[in-house]
């Protein structure tokens, strides 16, 4: 447990996956109770680490009265149900995240079918579908599905001692992702929306909204206007230099768009074809596309799709269907000009 700024403690918890070493949970000290932000996966290792860090700080857990989850990915939400019951605390998260609990974590069959059709329409060959559509099933055992006591919509104030955090909806990484902003102290809990060196995953899928990358960049532009001196992210280390980081992420997405455009050229291609061709996806984790695990492959396809649909929304690409498969190409006008 590390006090990152007076009254706020960072408790990194281990994750059972290889590409990220830990998730940051944060504890905010109040007058008559603590606020816990994000919870970690529901694994024994994460739970024991949390208990130990709390004990080292002289806290037995019962003092935690509020839990806020930035979004319902397993690393942020997995242990929320367990902790809520154990500490008798209230749990809050965004209403759009709440809407997905049932389909994502309780009865997933429909979502898996839908995702299979989605991947098929976007060019994934039939022999790869079964593997890719079920790629997230192993994650389910790390989540205790729980509904919130308080459903957030944005603009609410979450108070704890000297702190009053404004709930800022930041759709993109997930549709109902929130950040928490403390204007007096200029502190931002950024969840997975802004990380110091990794660019957060933004993928297009049945629960993402029609243009998640557009939403993501809009959310970034809105946040960029805030005065922020300290960012407390969901992964990696707390950091300063907020505006530079936001600019860096925006530039990064521009470069990826440019690379996708280059890969399309004057051809028509599916999201799957493009995913296997562009170098930034070849280099995920420093290994080639064919060596990626099915989870990473699926994320890469959904991420390419998010870029394609963001460019289509701006009129930079067209999409058409042939035999039930979607292809992207330059708009007719741009092709004629050549
Ligand atoms: Zn996430
Ligand atoms: Zn995360």
């Amino acid at each position: 447990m590390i006090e990152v700024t007076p009254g706020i403690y960072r408790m990194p918890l281990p994750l059972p996956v290889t590409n990220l070493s830990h998730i940051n949970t944060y504890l905010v000290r109040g007058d008559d109770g603590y606020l816990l932000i994000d919870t970690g996966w529901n694994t024994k290792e994460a739970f024991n680490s949390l208990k130990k860090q709390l004990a080292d700080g002289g806290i037995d857990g019962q003092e935690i009265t509020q839990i806020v989850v930035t979004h319902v990915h397993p690393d942020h939400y997995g242990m929320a149900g367990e902790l809520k019951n154990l500490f008798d605390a209230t749990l809050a998260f965004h209403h759009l995240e709440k809407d997905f609990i049932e389909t994502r974590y309780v009865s997933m069959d429909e979502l898996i079918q839908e995702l299979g059709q989605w991947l098929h329409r976007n060019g994934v060959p039939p022999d790869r579908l079964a593997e890719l559509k079920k790629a997230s099933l192993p994650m389910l055992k790390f989540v205790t599905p729980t509904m919130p006591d308080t459903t957030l919509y944005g603009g609410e104030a979450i108070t704890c001692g000297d702190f009053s955090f404004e709930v800022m909806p930041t759709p993109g990484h997930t549709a109902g992702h929130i950040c928490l902003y403390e204007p007096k102290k200029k502190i931002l809990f950024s969840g997975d929306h802004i990380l110091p060196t990794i660019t957060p995953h933004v993928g297009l899928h049945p629960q993402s909204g029609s243009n998640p990358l557009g939403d993501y960049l809009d959310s970034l532009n809105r946040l960029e206007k805030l005065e922020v001196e300290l960012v407390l992210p969901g992964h990696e280390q707390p950091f300063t230099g907020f505006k530079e980081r936001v600019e860096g992420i925006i530039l990064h997405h521009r470069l990826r768009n440019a690379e996708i455009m280059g890969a399309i050229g004057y051809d028509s291609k599916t999201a799957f074809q493009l995913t296997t061709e562009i170098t930034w996806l070849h280099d995920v984790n420093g290994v080639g596309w064919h060596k990626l695990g099915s989870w990473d492959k699926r994320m890469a396809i959904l991420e390419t799709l998010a870029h394609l649909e963001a460019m289509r929304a701006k009129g930079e690409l067209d999409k058409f269907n042939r035999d039930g498969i979607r292809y992207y190409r330059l708009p007719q006008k741009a092709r004629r000009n050549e």
Side-chain angles (χ1 to χ4, degrees), residues 15 20 22-23 38 41 71 73 75-76 173 191-192 195 234-235:
L15 290 175
L20 286 170
H22 62 263
I23 152 97
D38 285 337
W41 302 57
H71 62 300
H73 280 165
D75 48 339
H76 300 254
H173 176 67
D192 278 355
L195 302 172
H235 303 275

Side-chain angles (χ1 to χ4, degrees), residues 64-256:
I64 296 174
T65 52
Q66 307 181 69
I67 302 171
V68 176
V69 167
T70 56
H71 62 300
V72 301
H73 280 165
D75 48 339
H76 300 254
Y77 164 72
M79 221 198 299
E82 202 78 14
L83 297 181
K84 170 185 148 54
N85 293 335
L86 187 68
F87 301 149
D88 197 19
T90 58
L91 173 64
F93 52 87
H94 194 269
H95 74 99
L96 287 176
E97 300 291 282
K98 177 183 166 189
D99 291 348
F100 299 139
I101 300 296
E102 180 74 21
T103 48
R104 192 178 274 213
Y105 296 125
V106 184
S107 33
M108 304 80 65
D109 290 356
E110 203 176 316
L111 182 62
I112 291 171
Q113 289 314 322
E114 205 177 340
L115 196 59
Q117 289 160 5
W118 186 276
L119 291 168
H120 168 70
R121 274 202 301 276
N122 285 294
V124 173
D127 60 331
R128 313 294 298 281
L129 276 177
E131 169 206 347
L132 291 180
K133 76 179 182 187
K134 291 184 178 164
S136 56
L137 285 180
M139 313 278 172
L140 293 175
K141 60 177 179 291
F142 303 123
V143 176
T144 312
T146 311
M147 287 299 176
D149 303 289
T150 310
T151 309
L152 303 170
Y153 289 81
E156 296 90 343
I158 293 176
T159 54
C160 183
D162 288 344
F163 300 91
S164 179
F165 298 100
E166 188 187 335
V167 175
M168 319 274 305
T170 45
H173 176 67
T174 66
H177 188 287
I178 57 164
C179 291
L180 296 179
Y181 177 55
E182 217 310 339
K184 282 206 306 283
K185 303 189 192 288
K186 301 184 173 57
I187 292 169
L188 183 76
F189 285 101
S190 64
D192 278 355
H193 186 56
I194 303 172
L195 302 172
T197 70
I198 309 165
T199 47
H201 170 72
V202 178
L204 184 85
H205 55 82
Q207 296 183 334
S208 68
S210 60
N211 183 7
L213 186 58
D215 295 342
Y216 178 75
L217 294 171
D218 287 348
S219 305
L220 271 188
N221 287 326
R222 265 200 316 278
L223 280 197
E224 199 184 3
K225 300 188 180 78
L226 302 177
E227 268 188 71
V228 177
E229 281 173 5
L230 179 65
V231 188
L232 301 173
H235 303 275
E236 307 185 285
Q237 303 289 326
F239 65 100
T240 55
F242 169 68
K243 286 201 190 332
E244 290 82 348
R245 182 60 190 140
V246 172
E247 288 298 323
I249 296 174
I250 292 171
L251 176 67
H252 168 92
H253 285 293
R254 259 189 226 133
L255 295 174
R256 286 188 167 192

Side-chain angles (χ1 to χ4, degrees), residues 256-322:
R256 286 188 167 192
N257 280 351
E259 188 173 358
I260 292 176
M261 285 297 239
I264 294 179
Y266 292 96
D267 223 339
S268 304
K269 294 188 177 176
T270 66
F272 178 74
Q273 256 178 303
L274 287 163
T275 308
T276 61
E277 287 175 12
I278 41 192
T279 56
W280 52 267
L281 289 169
H282 281 226
D283 293 338
V284 179
N285 301 335
V287 296
W289 159 259
H290 294 288
K291 288 191 190 146
L292 290 181
S294 41
W295 170 246
D296 284 326
K297 277 187 177 144
R298 188 170 93 185
M299 292 224 292
I301 298 164
L302 300 181
E303 206 162 316
T304 307
L305 258 175
H307 280 271
L308 290 167
E309 283 298 321
M311 288 191 277
R312 196 176 73 89
K314 286 197 286 181
E316 295 168 1
L317 285 176
D318 265 354
K319 158 169 93 169
F320 67 95
N321 285 311
R322 191 196 302 142

